[in-house]
Amino acid sequence: MSVNIDFISAGAGSGKTFILTQKLEKLLSSGTVTPAGVIATTFTKLAAGELKERVRSQLIRSGRLPVANQMEQSLIGTVNGVCGEILQR
């Protein structure tokens, strides 16, 4: 099993969501990672929703509709939300 952990720390408006979108789209498109294998945390629900939608849109644009449709299987949310979901599982 391969584990890929990236930590991106930067100020507002610096391009964190853009970088994460590009990295996730590349990993998902290559088949290295499945949507169910994605865990990403953000500080706000709005940012989490934006990240998931940007990845989904990018996958659609690159012709990866089946993978894009599986993005609901990913675990993308706030730190509290993601940790709570892991504990529930």
Side-chain angles (χ1 to χ4, degrees):
M1 172 170 63
S2 174
V3 176
N4 184 12
I5 297 174
D6 286 331
F7 178 78
I8 298 174
S9 177
S14 61
K16 293 180 300 293
T17 303
F18 176 80
I19 296 297
L20 283 171
T21 299
Q22 299 304 311
K23 286 180 178 227
L24 286 172
E25 190 272 332
K26 182 179 176 181
L27 290 167
L28 291 162
S29 289
S30 70
T32 304
V33 173
T34 64
V38 171
I39 298 176
T41 61
T42 63
F43 287 107
T44 67
K45 291 178 184 179
L46 181 66
E50 184 178 342
L51 175 59
K52 188 179 282 190
E53 185 53 38
R54 282 191 191 185
V55 172
R56 188 177 178 288
S57 295
Q58 187 66 28
L59 287 165
I60 291 169
R61 280 194 295 277
S62 64
R64 305 282 187 198
L65 187 58
V67 178
N69 288 335
Q70 296 172 2
M71 280 306 295
E72 288 306 313
Q73 297 174 8
S74 64
L75 186 50
I76 299 174
T78 63
V79 174
N80 288 345
V82 168
C83 290
E85 180 64 29
I86 290 170
L87 289 172
Q88 279 186 331
R89 290 181 185 184

